[in-house]
Amino acid sequence: MDKTVTLEDVARAAGVGKGTVDRVLHNRGRVAEKTRERVLACIEELKYRPNMAARMLAQKRSYRIAVCFHDLEHEFWEQVKEGVDRAAEEYEPMGVQVEPFILPQIDVDSQLAVIRRVVEEKYDGLAIVPYCAKEISDALNDAIARGVQVTTFNNREEDVHACYIGLDGLQSGRTAGRLMSMIASPRSRYIIISAHGSRMRQIDQRAIGFQEVLGAQRPDMVCVGSFVFEEDFDKVYRFSAEEVPRMGINAIYATNGCVAVVGKGVAENGVGAGIRIIGHDLTPTVVRYLRSGDIDVTISQEPENQGYLSVQKICRKLLAGEEMEDYYTRIGIVVSENIAFS
């Protein structure tokens, strides 16, 4: 087993006292610049990580972290919650209390109320899927200015000055476009289906990336239209089962987990023959229609890891002073043949 690197090891390697290393770690007190650089170099070389449990005992305090997301696509968000729960269990012995605030659907007013509660009740951290609205961005930036440690995940809002964990929306859409260009028949008529309204910028970015690549790679293909359903999966189902066959569609790109409903709609009504379908997420329902061949490809995004890291980064910031850096999850390409390895 590798030896755990201690503060004393860093101090010895840098030729300074433990107090100097501590001042460098916490950016407090006066330390000569050359000494600071030497200490930082030793920390990096030795891969020193502060003992968070010991730090917690020394601080003799507890922390509260709120986690806010919606539950519209239950199977996907249940995977996210597994990651949140894993982080909560890991850091609970160190005095961290993680409190989920799960909204039934995308709702700006409800999310705004959660952010205000976090500020008013002096939570230490907030992990959140931020909705695309100026009042949300303003409220989050205000929370950050008041000392709340904030991570955003699954949806990136550039106006929010916080660490982000999740997919690169544009590149995941471009990936879907490249895949569709490889499998669609000549002169295919295609549509884009979304079920999110306009509150998730990342999903809009997927559609943009998809069309950029498909337009360049397959100019023979014709875009019949882009159809947006306001978080109404029943409408997505009826559209897939009834309207798609009437429109003579050969290819469908679903910009989020609604691909499961698209797959169900064409499969249960026997209208999917010859239609290429690409979407996102790897839920049990998506897996079912991948296996049956009704969905051709899905793009996964490590939902459990998103949930875990969104909380873990705040914990490590609070307990060990570690800086929170963006983390882009893997753009995973999943087909029926590699489900077991995804």
Side-chain angles (χ1 to χ4, degrees):
M1 180 181 294
D2 294 338
K3 175 182 179 294
T4 300
V5 177
T6 65
L7 191 93
E8 289 85 351
D9 294 327
V10 175
R12 189 180 306 112
V16 298
K18 291 190 296 181
T20 300
V21 176
D22 187 74
R23 287 195 293 277
V24 170
L25 283 169
H26 299 96
N27 196 27
R28 62 189 179 204
R30 298 183 62 181
V31 179
E33 188 58 33
K34 288 186 177 179
T35 301
R36 181 183 302 278
E37 291 175 359
R38 187 166 69 251
V39 170
L40 290 173
C42 289
I43 289 172
E44 181 66 24
E45 181 180 349
L46 296 174
K47 294 181 171 56
Y48 171 69
R49 296 292 180 268
N51 187 317
M52 288 186 292
R55 183 183 294 274
M56 189 66 241
L57 290 173
Q59 290 176 345
K60 295 181 179 178
R61 65 158 295 185
S62 59
Y63 297 96
R64 286 196 303 166
I65 298 173
V67 182
C68 181
F69 55 91
H70 53 271
D71 194 34
L72 179 65
E73 301 163 78
H74 179 73
E75 290 183 341
F76 174 81
W77 293 105
E78 187 62 26
Q79 294 171 339
V80 171
K81 188 175 183 298
E82 288 175 5
V84 171
D85 291 345
R86 180 160 61 92
E89 182 178 356
E90 181 176 331
Y91 287 95
E92 189 273 336
M94 302 179 202
V96 178
Q97 180 182 355
V98 177
E99 301 177 27
F101 292 84
I102 302 177
L103 308 178
Q105 60 187 15
I106 296 174
D107 184 332
V108 170
D109 291 337
S110 295
Q111 186 172 85
L112 196 58
V114 171
I115 299 169
R116 288 171 175 164
R117 177 175 174 179
V118 165
V119 172
E120 291 169 2
E121 297 187 11
K122 301 186 185 303
Y123 281 72
D124 301 283
L126 170 63
I128 189 169
V129 178
Y131 301 146
C132 180
K134 185 178 185 301
E135 54 265 48
I136 295 295
S137 297
D138 289 346
L140 287 173
N141 287 329
D142 177 66
I144 293 167
R146 292 172 182 268
V148 180
Q149 302 299 328
V150 175
T151 58
T152 61
F153 65 101
N154 193 258
N155 184 54
R156 179 162 206 165
E157 290 298 322
E158 296 294 343
D159 293 338
V160 179
H161 310 306
C163 168
Y164 170 70
I165 301 102
L167 273 186
D168 182 309
L170 187 67
Q171 289 304 116
S172 63
R174 289 177 62 85
T175 301
R178 179 61 173 160
L179 291 166
M180 186 64 83
S181 76
M182 297 167 66
I183 66 174
S185 301
R187 295 176 295 282
S188 287
R189 292 162 54 85
Y190 74 92
I191 58 174
I192 298 173
I193 296 179
S194 299
H196 70 94
S198 59
R199 295 303 186 185
M200 297 284 282
R201 191 184 305 274
Q202 186 204 102
I203 297 177
D204 294 335
Q205 289 291 307
R206 293 177 189 176
I208 292 170
F210 178 82
Q211 289 188 289
E212 281 181 356
V213 172
L214 197 62
Q217 296 288 331
R218 291 292 304 273
D220 63 299
M221 293 181 66
V222 177
C223 181
V224 176
S226 183
F227 300 88
V228 178
F229 300 90
E230 297 284 340
E231 292 87 49
D232 192 331
F233 283 11
D234 288 338
K235 286 185 179 179
V236 174
Y237 178 86
R238 291 196 299 273
F239 180 83
S240 303
E242 300 169 8
E243 298 302 321
V244 165
R246 295 174 187 166
M247 298 166 69
I249 299 303
N250 311 107
I252 301 174
Y253 174 48
T255 60
N256 63 356
C258 74
V259 69
V261 183
V262 174
K264 181 179 180 182
V266 300
E268 291 185 347
N269 294 277
V271 299
I275 300 177
R276 295 298 196 181
I277 299 177
I278 294 177
H280 289 261
D281 302 334
L282 192 61
T283 64
T285 303
V286 171
V287 167
R288 185 200 315 170
Y289 292 112
L290 275 174
R291 292 190 188 280
S292 68
D294 294 291
I295 295 175
D296 292 280
V297 189
T298 193
I299 295 174
S300 62
Q301 56 174 315
E302 301 182 57
E304 183 179 347
N305 210 20
Q306 287 188 36
Y308 175 80
L309 289 175
S310 66
V311 174
Q312 186 239 35
K313 284 179 177 290
I314 295 175
C315 292
R316 296 191 72 89
K317 173 66 174 178
L318 294 171
L319 298 172
E322 290 188 7
E323 292 304 312
M324 298 189 294
E325 298 181 349
D326 292 348
Y327 179 91
Y328 285 94
T329 52
R330 181 174 58 89
I331 299 175
I333 299 171
V334 184
V335 294
S336 60
E337 289 78 8
N338 72 339
I339 291 172
F341 305 96
S342 302

